Amino acid sequence: MAKIKGIILLILETLGAALILFYLRKALISSENHEVSVILPMLIDIAFLAFFASFGGRLAKIIHIAPMAGKIIMGIIAGPAVLGVIAPYSEGVELSRLAGVLFILFEAGLHFDMELLKKNWLVATIIAHVGVIIPLISIGLLGHYAFGMAWMPAIFLGGVFTATSVGLSVEALKRAGKLETDMGNKIIGAAVIDDILGVLVLTILAKLSSEGHLEAMGIVWIIVAVVAFFGGAYILWNMGIAQSIAKYLDTHYVDSSTGPHTRFFFGALMMAGALAAVIGLEPVLGAFGIGVVLSKVDNEIKHSTWEKIEGHMHIFVGGFLVSIGTMLPREALLSAKAWLLAIILTIIGFVGKYLTRYLVKDKVEGHLVGLAMSIRGEVGLVFVAVALANHVLDDVTAAAALLGVIIVTVIGAIWFEKAVMKQTGVKMSEAGEAI
Amino acid sequence: MAKIKGIILLILETLGAALILFYLRKALISSENHEVSVILPMLIDIAFLAFFASFGGRLAKIIHIAPMAGKIIMGIIAGPAVLGVIAPYSEGVELSRLAGVLFILFEAGLHFDMELLKKNWLVATIIAHVGVIIPLISIGLLGHYAFGMAWMPAIFLGGVFTATSVGLSVEALKRAGKLETDMGNKIIGAAVIDDILGVLVLTILAKLSSEGHLEAMGIVWIIVAVVAFFGGAYILWNMGIAQSIAKYLDTHYVDSSTGPHTRFFFGALMMAGALAAVIGLEPVLGAFGIGVVLSKVDNEIKHSTWEKIEGHMHIFVGGFLVSIGTMLPREALLSAKAWLLAIILTIIGFVGKYLTRYLVKDKVEGHLVGLAMSIRGEVGLVFVAVALANHVLDDVTAAAALLGVIIVTVIGAIWFEKAVMKQTGVKMSEAGEAI
């Protein structure tokens, strides 16, 4: 009874919020005042993504699934697939999505143990390469020979499933309390490396599909950029530059407020994300790198500043998860062909990554690594977006790819969390929300 | 020596940040990826506004002026008037400005003592009306008879100086530790009321200048909206609805994280701002109203949630102050005519508000009230924007009006803080930054 009452209340709250959002947004954008018609709707979108994230957390609690999955599902409900009150490509939603994933990677970097990586780098590199190559080749072959697609769209489809979502995996690890373990280190290391590989594959495919040929310099440049970026981050980390800056701020800027430290952390994050984008990498890699660099800041300053940064995490991380769900179009939910294709892609996409479990000696740990690596996300969605922009994939195939990414992510997240619970004996409801 | 070294370091840091911002922004917007070329620059603008706010705080510390004034001056330096690396109307800057002023008013509402207002409402109402009528009439008459302007632009010019900036006044009060005093209550009460009067005047002038006539319904509607909005806020406050919602969240949403509370506060703020805008009021009034309503939330929840909301304050409030400075165009800095007009407007604008001191019995308190009320800001800037859009003011006059608003604000803030220091014996450097 309590459960049914909870579900009814949740449905009423969700519908109520959706109605308010719908009418408020409509009234705002009809204003003649630029601030009211353009800027305020962005803040409203950010706010309601956050509300839906809260609803998603409650949904997860009621039906006993991972909160992350609950939030993505709530995004599917709020987005064009069902209620249609949140537009996945409005500026406020895009801002929330980008800021959210940057904050997730920032936290992952702050907690990343570089010393541990020195031990794990080989296995992480192998896991990353295997996890990229298997889905790319198997889906590419299947698309070409079984579905009769041309090579380019078939390989693009494979590309969608190459990259583990380092953002979502970190979120799952954090919730499970495994972020700073040896296993967490391997998973994050592998996820970061396969993100880089994914970007490499995407760059090659994008150039090939839009220009019809490939410049060797493009690939060389990405490799140089990766080496320079992570080399630079390693050097800054090793020098402990972050601690020097924090000390400098303490001497010259800080009075009674931690404001200058908050602004330093926030600004450094955005700057690193932008720098990564400028040299052709994904912004998330920059966020991860600067997190590692700033992890050297004094624990006391780090802790008090993190209290403030969490205010942004509370708004934007949930917003990111919900906004991923909103990217599923209604056509995908209604098309039988898209579902069939999506299920096939989900299975291959899942198995292709899960096989990485055999690269880890310990069986239980291998199982968890395989599940965590199967979670996809933003890079896969970027593949779909580029494919659509270059007219490589048709609408149904693109919808199927999106659906596949979301299904494999929701299932991967649920299974990963269940496996962790089984291993540690901690119940989901006790673990609580990470954010 | 230490002072000169400090100034040189600050100049180098400011120029360094400006250079990085310039090249980073340029590289980002040339990208073909929408997320990189549109969304990331918004985050970068928000981040660098925050950096410049830190620099402004340090500038204020070195040359012993109010931090608020230091941040506005740093905005003038970063904006088109000097370095030109921050565009005052880019979306990230507008977002920061709006979010910042909403958070300032939200905090003012949270700390506002409704019981005290019951005692002070009459004097606050009188201060507000006198402070609106004197500048409006005196500048209007001066513009028409002394400068030979037509009535409409002359009255518009007067309108620019009608409304005290409740955002900036609150910030000054907070820094001085006077936010929750009897005097602070009078000032905020008067500032909120004259904001409403300012909106009323603006609505009338905007309709008259764009349509050539005035519908009585427009004015009636605003009065109805004001009564309904503040009546509603009072009823919600009286019912203690906020505490019921917080309790409900605790039961059904919150696990180990304060996330749902942060999202509730943040979302309620944006929703109230939007609601105010939809019924034709300024969004800041909505932010103030919801702050009053939420002040009834349990102190423990309020405190832990505020820790997180402060993360947003640290970024956006400084961003708001800097962005006000960026609104000054270079022409205004270089035109002798604009300076002359601005100085005249500043004097009349200042005296016109300062006269409200004689409405307060206590002499020292009256002096402080007069100074605090002389601070203008966002509503004045809205007047200028509407006047430009409706071609009522020419460029030089508009620039002079902007310059006047900024000068009167910087001087008012400095004098107010000096007067508070003198009264309480607290040194500025000990008072520290409010944010």
Side-chain angles (χ1 to χ4, degrees):
Chain A
M1 265 317 284
K3 195 168 175 171
I4 294 175
K5 194 183 150 205
I7 291 176
I8 291 174
L9 278 174
L10 183 59
I11 291 174
L12 290 178
E13 284 160 32
T14 306
L15 288 179
L19 272 176
I20 293 174
L21 173 59
F22 178 77
Y23 284 106
L24 214 48
R25 227 182 172 288
K26 202 170 144 187
L28 288 175
I29 57 176
S30 69
S31 164
E32 285 166 25
N33 179 335
H34 175 74
E35 194 172 62
V36 173
S37 66
V38 176
I39 308 300
L40 209 39
M42 290 172 61
L43 289 174
I44 281 295
D45 279 343
I46 294 170
F48 275 83
L49 280 179
F51 279 150
F52 285 115
S54 284
F55 298 152
R58 184 171 176 193
L59 173 71
K61 212 165 138 182
I62 295 176
I63 62 175
H64 296 294
I65 59 169
M68 200 165 81
K71 286 168 190 177
I72 296 177
I73 291 172
M74 197 48 82
I76 297 176
I77 293 170
V82 184
L83 296 175
V85 290
I86 290 188
Y89 299 103
S90 70
E91 290 196 321
V93 176
E94 289 204 275
L95 189 79
S96 214
R97 184 158 55 231
L98 180 56
V101 74
L102 290 178
F103 278 111
I104 292 174
L105 269 284
F106 185 49
E107 183 175 21
L110 275 173
H111 292 132
F112 193 71
D113 189 335
M114 286 286 269
E115 301 297 340
L116 205 54
L117 184 69
K118 287 180 184 164
K119 203 189 81 189
N120 286 334
W121 73 270
L122 186 64
V123 62
T125 307
I126 296 174
I127 291 174
H129 280 79
V130 171
V132 164
I133 290 167
I134 296 181
L136 187 65
I137 292 184
S138 56
I139 294 179
L141 290 175
L142 187 90
H144 185 68
Y145 290 110
F147 301 146
M149 296 162 80
W151 274 116
M152 183 55 74
I155 295 176
F156 239 107
L157 204 54
V160 174
F161 291 87
T162 51
T164 293
S165 167
V166 41
L168 294 172
S169 307
V170 165
E171 193 59 16
L173 281 168
K174 189 179 151 196
R175 250 193 63 73
K178 297 277 177 193
L179 196 55
E180 293 173 71
T181 61
D182 184 74
M183 179 188 75
N185 189 270
K186 277 179 201 150
I187 292 174
I188 299 175
V192 166
I193 295 168
D194 91 356
D195 224 25
I196 297 171
L197 293 176
V199 172
L200 206 62
V201 172
L202 178 65
T203 309
I204 296 171
L205 289 180
K207 294 266 179 223
L208 270 176
S209 63
S210 66
E211 297 166 17
H213 66 280
L214 187 67
E215 284 174 60
M217 280 314 293
I219 300 172
V220 171
W221 168 245
I222 288 197
I223 293 169
V224 170
V226 165
V227 171
F229 194 83
F230 283 92
Y234 180 78
I235 291 169
L236 291 178
W237 172 80
N238 219 6
M239 284 168 59
I241 187 108
Q243 176 57 7
S244 312
I245 295 178
K247 275 257 165 66
Y248 182 81
L249 289 179
D250 258 347
T251 315
H252 295 287
Y253 283 87
V254 176
D255 283 322
S256 55
S257 148
T258 54
H261 284 305
T262 311
R263 292 192 279 272
F264 168 52
F265 270 55
F266 184 97
L269 168 61
M270 298 309 163
M271 228 162 72
L275 187 64
V278 165
I279 61 175
L281 305 177
E282 281 291 302
V284 290
L285 295 178
F288 178 77
I290 197 73
V292 171
V293 172
L294 291 185
S295 69
K296 276 276 180 103
V297 169
D298 209 63
N299 266 327
E300 199 188 327
I301 295 176
K302 209 162 71 180
H303 183 260
S304 64
T305 309
W306 189 251
E307 278 284 308
K308 308 302 174 195
I309 294 292
E310 266 194 329
H312 294 275
M313 304 274 300
H314 285 165
I315 302 301
F316 293 116
V317 173
F320 162 72
L321 296 172
V322 172
S323 89
I324 292 288
T326 63
M327 296 176 106
L328 188 73
R330 186 174 292 169
E331 295 73 44
L333 268 188
L334 298 179
S335 153
K337 197 183 157 197
W339 272 97
L340 186 69
L341 189 52
I343 289 169
I344 297 171
L345 289 173
T346 301
I347 294 170
I348 303 177
F350 181 79
V351 173
K353 281 280 183 188
Y354 182 72
L355 288 176
T356 56
R357 71 166 292 177
Y358 297 108
L359 299 169
V360 180
K361 276 182 201 151
D362 183 278
K363 271 198 173 180
V364 177
E365 194 181 306
H367 178 55
L368 291 175
V369 169
L371 290 175
M373 293 300 290
S374 74
I375 297 172
R376 313 301 156 81
E378 56 284 359
V379 175
L381 300 173
V382 171
F383 264 91
V384 176
V386 172
L388 282 172
N390 293 347
H391 306 289
V392 178
L393 292 182
D394 61 80
D395 281 358
V396 172
T397 316
L402 267 183
L403 198 55
V405 167
I406 288 174
I407 297 174
V408 81
T409 298
V410 171
I411 291 179
I414 291 173
W415 280 355
F416 176 74
E417 292 198 311
K418 280 210 191 302
V420 169
M421 274 164 56
K422 201 177 152 192
Q423 188 209 352
T424 57
V426 176
K427 279 204 188 134
M428 189 94 59
S429 55
E430 290 166 24
E433 278 195 78
I435 285 299
Chain B
M1 265 316 285
K3 195 167 175 171
I4 294 175
K5 195 184 148 204
I7 290 177
I8 292 174
L9 278 174
L10 183 59
I11 292 175
L12 290 177
E13 284 160 32
T14 306
L15 288 178
L19 272 176
I20 293 174
L21 173 59
F22 178 77
Y23 284 106
L24 214 47
R25 227 181 171 289
K26 202 170 145 186
L28 288 175
I29 58 176
S30 69
S31 164
E32 285 166 25
N33 179 335
H34 175 74
E35 194 172 61
V36 173
S37 66
V38 176
I39 308 300
L40 209 38
M42 290 172 61
L43 289 174
I44 281 295
D45 279 343
I46 294 170
F48 275 83
L49 280 179
F51 279 150
F52 284 115
S54 284
F55 298 152
R58 184 171 177 193
L59 173 71
K61 213 165 136 181
I62 294 177
I63 62 175
H64 297 293
I65 59 168
M68 200 166 82
K71 285 167 190 178
I72 295 177
I73 291 172
M74 196 49 82
I76 297 176
I77 293 171
V82 184
L83 296 176
V85 290
I86 290 187
Y89 299 102
S90 70
E91 290 196 321
V93 176
E94 288 204 275
L95 189 79
S96 214
R97 183 158 55 231
L98 180 57
V101 74
L102 290 178
F103 278 111
I104 292 174
L105 268 284
F106 185 49
E107 183 176 20
L110 274 173
H111 292 132
F112 193 71
D113 189 335
M114 287 286 269
E115 301 298 339
L116 205 54
L117 184 69
K118 288 180 184 164
K119 204 188 80 189
N120 286 334
W121 73 270
L122 186 64
V123 61
T125 307
I126 295 174
I127 291 174
H129 280 79
V130 171
V132 164
I133 290 167
I134 296 181
L136 187 65
I137 292 184
S138 56
I139 294 179
L141 290 175
L142 187 90
H144 184 68
Y145 290 110
F147 302 146
M149 296 162 81
W151 274 116
M152 183 55 74
I155 295 176
F156 238 108
L157 203 55
V160 174
F161 290 87
T162 51
T164 293
S165 167
V166 42
L168 294 172
S169 307
V170 165
E171 193 59 16
L173 281 168
K174 190 179 151 195
R175 249 194 63 73
K178 297 278 177 192
L179 196 55
E180 293 172 71
T181 61
D182 184 75
M183 180 188 76
N185 189 269
K186 277 179 201 151
I187 292 174
I188 299 175
V192 166
I193 295 168
D194 91 357
D195 223 25
I196 297 172
L197 293 176
V199 172
L200 207 62
V201 172
L202 178 65
T203 309
I204 296 171
L205 289 180
K207 293 267 179 222
L208 270 177
S209 63
S210 66
E211 297 166 17
H213 66 279
L214 187 67
E215 284 172 60
M217 280 314 293
I219 300 172
V220 172
W221 168 246
I222 288 197
I223 293 169
V224 170
V226 165
V227 172
F229 194 84
F230 283 92
Y234 180 78
I235 291 170
L236 291 177
W237 172 80
N238 219 4
M239 284 168 58
I241 187 108
Q243 176 58 7
S244 311
I245 295 179
K247 275 257 164 65
Y248 182 81
L249 289 179
D250 258 347
T251 315
H252 294 288
Y253 283 88
V254 176
D255 283 322
S256 55
S257 147
T258 53
H261 284 305
T262 310
R263 292 192 280 271
F264 168 53
F265 270 55
F266 183 97
L269 168 61
M270 298 309 163
M271 229 162 72
L275 187 64
V278 165
I279 61 175
L281 305 177
E282 281 292 301
V284 290
L285 294 178
F288 178 77
I290 197 73
V292 171
V293 172
L294 291 185
S295 68
K296 276 276 181 104
V297 169
D298 209 64
N299 267 326
E300 199 188 326
I301 296 176
K302 208 161 72 180
H303 183 259
S304 64
T305 308
W306 189 251
E307 278 284 308
K308 307 303 173 194
I309 294 292
E310 266 195 328
H312 294 275
M313 304 273 301
H314 285 166
I315 301 301
F316 293 115
V317 173
F320 162 72
L321 296 172
V322 172
S323 89
I324 292 287
T326 64
M327 295 176 107
L328 188 74
R330 186 174 293 169
E331 296 73 44
L333 268 188
L334 298 179
S335 152
K337 197 182 158 199
W339 272 97
L340 187 68
L341 190 52
I343 289 169
I344 297 172
L345 289 173
T346 301
I347 294 170
I348 303 177
F350 181 79
V351 173
K353 281 280 184 188
Y354 182 73
L355 288 176
T356 56
R357 71 166 291 178
Y358 297 108
L359 299 169
V360 180
K361 275 181 202 152
D362 184 279
K363 270 199 174 179
V364 176
E365 195 181 306
H367 178 55
L368 291 174
V369 168
L371 291 174
M373 293 300 290
S374 74
I375 297 172
R376 314 300 156 81
E378 56 284 359
V379 175
L381 300 173
V382 171
F383 265 91
V384 176
V386 172
L388 283 172
N390 292 347
H391 307 289
V392 178
L393 292 182
D394 60 80
D395 281 358
V396 172
T397 315
L402 267 183
L403 198 54
V405 167
I406 289 174
I407 297 174
V408 81
T409 298
V410 170
I411 291 179
I414 292 174
W415 280 355
F416 176 74
E417 292 198 311
K418 280 210 192 301
V420 169
M421 274 164 56
K422 201 177 153 194
Q423 188 208 355
T424 57
V426 176
K427 279 203 189 136
M428 189 94 59
S429 55
E430 290 166 23
E433 278 194 77
I435 285 300

